Amino acid sequence: MSRVRVQNFAISLDGFGTGEGQDRDAHFGHAGDRLHQWMFATNWWQPGGSTGIDDAFVRQHDDAKIGAEIMGAGKFGHPGWHEDPEWKGAWGPNPPFHTPVFILTHHTRPSITMEGGTTYHFINASPAEALEAARKAAGDGDVRIGGGATVIREFLAAGLIDHMHVVIVPILLGRGVRLWDGLEGIEKAYRIESVSSPSGVTHVTFNRAGV
């Protein structure tokens, strides 16, 4: 059976995966791009960038055999995007997913086919139901849980994530959407390793025992 993965998900020291005040021009709210500066500095992002630990981790986004992705409505777009019938996501005409993507939303609409192999499907489903649909679409590939923090938290609480890579960024956001709320003791289900980078971030990997 395919594995369920979280890749390159960045949180602040106080556990926030996005900031407060998201809108069309501020996809991560008051956090801006501060959670992702470590990624922008890598050679993967821009030629001539860093080629160390950060670059090695971020390249796994492309190297993993991902067959489908699941994401929350907040990752697809700003609050209220469902009121705009022309809205096609915050990721441009050629999104970086290149697979079927299942958007968890109470505001369903017909599927949208984008450039580069991405097709957005809008479903109102539980984590288990969404995973069943994504696995059918993924074939032999793995399923990526793309975020945001609320969706990842729900999949963790349901015991559905096999591998997770979290990047702890040395900033304090103070408000927004937290990843770990309600997940006390979740570490008992995983083998956990961490490694610090010269950039200041810490990469933490969670692998479910026996998977």
Side-chain angles (χ1 to χ4, degrees):
M1 183 176 290
S2 62
R3 301 183 77 198
V4 182
R5 298 175 173 269
V6 174
Q7 295 180 293
N8 298 326
F9 191 76
I11 63 173
S12 63
L13 286 174
D14 47 351
F16 291 96
T18 191
E20 191 176 78
Q22 291 174 277
D23 60 32
R24 192 180 189 121
D25 298 318
H27 192 62
F28 291 94
H30 81 289
D33 60 8
R34 288 181 291 160
L35 287 171
H36 306 99
Q37 286 294 329
W38 68 274
M39 183 184 297
F40 301 152
T42 64
N43 190 65
W44 178 86
W45 187 271
Q46 58 177 355
S50 67
T51 57
I53 295 170
D54 295 341
D55 190 60
F57 269 104
V58 77
R59 286 182 184 278
Q60 293 179 15
H61 183 278
D62 295 337
D63 294 342
K65 296 179 179 179
I66 302 298
E69 178 149 343
I70 298 170
M71 70 172 65
K75 181 173 179 177
F76 180 71
H78 57 282
W81 63 259
H82 60 277
E83 298 174 355
D84 179 0
E86 301 302 318
W87 178 255
K88 295 184 179 180
W91 303 93
N94 186 0
F97 312 114
H98 313 301
T99 66
V101 177
F102 294 84
I103 314 296
L104 297 179
T105 176
H106 296 300
H107 305 281
T108 59
R109 59 172 59 179
S111 299
I112 302 174
T113 299
M114 307 293 287
E115 298 175 19
T118 297
T119 300
Y120 293 126
H121 303 286
F122 302 87
I123 61 174
N124 186 357
S126 68
E129 292 167 340
L131 182 55
E132 182 179 2
R135 276 190 159 137
K136 288 179 180 178
D140 294 332
D142 287 351
V143 175
R144 179 164 50 220
I145 310 302
T150 299
V151 169
I152 294 173
R153 186 169 63 243
E154 290 173 349
F155 275 78
L156 283 169
L160 297 176
I161 291 178
D162 301 314
H163 169 85
M164 181 168 64
H165 167 224
V166 173
V167 186
I168 301 175
V169 182
I171 62 173
L172 293 170
L173 291 179
R175 51 200 166 97
V177 184
R178 289 172 55 90
L179 175 61
W180 303 121
D181 288 356
L183 295 176
E184 180 180 352
I186 195 72
E187 73 281 356
K188 297 174 184 177
Y190 294 90
R191 300 187 307 273
I192 302 175
E193 298 180 359
S194 66
V195 59
S196 297
S197 165
S199 68
V201 307
T202 299
H203 298 274
V204 185
T205 56
F206 299 71
N207 285 286
R208 186 180 298 282
V211 176

